[in-house]
Amino acid sequence: MNYTPYLILALAFIVALYFIFRKKKLVVVSLSRADKQLLANNVDFYIRLDGNKKTLFEQKVSDFLASTKIEGVGLEITQLDRLLVASSAVIPIFGFADWNYKNLSNVVLYPDTFNQDFQFKEGDRNIMGMVGNGFMNGQMILSLAALRHGFSKSAGKENTAIHEFVHLLDKSDGATDGVPENLMAHEYTLPWVKMMHKEMERIKDDKSDINPYAITNQAEFFAVVSEYFFEQPELLKDKHPELYQRLSKTFGQKLV
């Protein structure tokens, strides 16, 4: 009996399996001098770091850019835009030695706000950022205008892109509920929930400087106060010391 055809088929099958299941090798390109200057000119978080931590931040930015596709719809994106997206991703996880956004494959930039149907030219459009679910799982959509504004001097306590990446961190335990169980020891979850609802009541009573969008639900509260934590840590520590301490432990970062 001639086994040659079977051997050829078996070999072809093995080769096919190799190409299907092989891991794509990431090509990490170190940031150029021009890239580092863009970070120094535009990212306050990076500016505040000392020399060694700046190098670590640059490496994490490079890793993110190598693993995540960033594309524009109806616009051309610049290298600064790419660096701002990557910085938004790195800032919340900078305190973790080894963290990858396994629930993200690409970031899509729209020119401006968009609606639930992902339209950005017509109708009511008030969404600045969104983490995809269902058929959009693994994708994040950001308004380019909001991305740039978040790193401007006039942004205050707000940064839309950081907000959305905090949602991704929250989602990493399987539920976007404002309780990041992958980042928070179990014994702290109930006190955190109580702290959230206490502050949400203060916001409702107009006794807090936290963005009222935080009372939408627990997930939005966590994302909003995280923006505050990273954008104006000194002010948060002064006005909300308990929140600052809890977020500092959650993100593994002492910013002030």
Side-chain angles (χ1 to χ4, degrees):
M1 184 175 180
N2 185 4
Y3 291 99
T4 302
Y6 298 100
L7 291 174
I8 294 173
L9 285 173
L11 181 60
F13 181 69
I14 292 171
V15 171
L17 286 177
Y18 168 77
F19 282 105
I20 291 171
F21 292 106
R22 69 173 178 170
K23 291 184 178 179
K24 184 179 179 180
K25 185 177 180 180
L26 297 180
V27 179
V28 179
V29 179
S30 298
L31 298 186
S32 68
R33 182 176 297 180
D35 290 336
K36 295 174 186 178
Q37 191 59 52
L38 286 172
L39 290 177
N41 291 341
N42 295 277
V43 182
D44 286 344
F45 184 94
Y46 173 80
I47 294 168
R48 292 194 295 262
L49 299 174
D50 62 26
N52 290 335
K53 288 188 176 180
K54 272 188 168 69
T55 301
L56 177 60
F57 189 92
E58 294 159 7
Q59 182 59 55
K60 287 179 177 289
V61 165
S62 296
D63 292 345
F64 180 84
L65 291 174
S67 63
T68 309
K69 185 177 181 181
I70 302 172
E71 55 189 335
V73 175
L75 54 82
E76 290 187 11
I77 60 176
T78 67
Q79 180 64 2
L80 175 58
D81 298 327
R82 289 166 48 79
L83 290 169
L84 293 182
V85 171
S87 295
S88 305
V90 170
I91 287 170
I93 55 91
F94 189 67
F96 310 141
D98 185 21
W99 181 280
N100 295 309
Y101 288 98
K102 296 178 181 178
N103 50 353
L104 181 70
S105 58
N106 64 308
V107 177
V108 180
L109 297 177
Y110 280 8
D112 210 325
T113 53
F114 52 96
N115 60 25
Q116 292 285 351
D117 297 321
F118 311 110
Q119 300 297 315
F120 57 90
K121 291 184 178 180
E122 300 176 356
D124 294 331
R125 297 173 287 110
N126 60 1
I127 302 175
M128 294 185 290
M130 177 185 292
V131 173
N133 289 301
F135 76 95
M136 292 289 288
N137 195 44
Q139 299 188 64
M140 177 185 293
I141 304 174
L142 290 172
S143 155
L144 180 60
L147 169 70
R148 291 175 176 174
H149 175 70
F151 287 92
S152 70
K153 300 302 181 185
S154 61
K157 311 179 189 80
E158 299 177 6
N159 187 305
T160 295
I162 289 177
H163 180 110
E164 296 305 323
F165 277 102
V166 169
H167 277 321
L168 271 186
L169 289 178
D170 188 8
K171 186 181 179 181
S172 67
D173 61 14
T176 310
D177 57 3
V179 184
E181 295 180 18
N182 285 342
L183 315 181
M184 186 179 292
H186 179 70
E187 62 266 27
Y188 295 122
T189 56
L190 184 56
W192 169 242
V193 171
K194 290 181 178 179
M195 188 182 296
M196 281 196 291
H197 285 275
K198 179 181 178 181
E199 191 61 36
M200 289 167 84
E201 288 300 319
R202 284 176 48 79
I203 297 170
K204 289 178 183 177
D205 294 337
D206 199 24
K207 296 179 180 179
S208 175
D209 66 332
I210 294 172
N211 187 332
Y213 188 64
I215 66 175
T216 304
N217 54 48
Q218 290 184 176
E220 296 302 343
F221 180 91
F222 177 48
V224 166
V225 297
S226 296
E227 292 178 72
Y228 194 159
F229 175 74
F230 289 113
E231 289 298 300
Q232 294 197 356
E234 297 91 348
L235 187 61
L236 181 67
K237 186 175 183 180
D238 179 57
K239 290 186 173 293
H240 309 276
E242 291 183 357
L243 270 175
Y244 172 84
Q245 293 300 332
R246 174 47 47 208
L247 291 171
S248 181
K249 290 181 179 179
T250 298
F251 292 110
Q253 301 186 52
K254 287 188 177 181
L255 302 181
V256 293

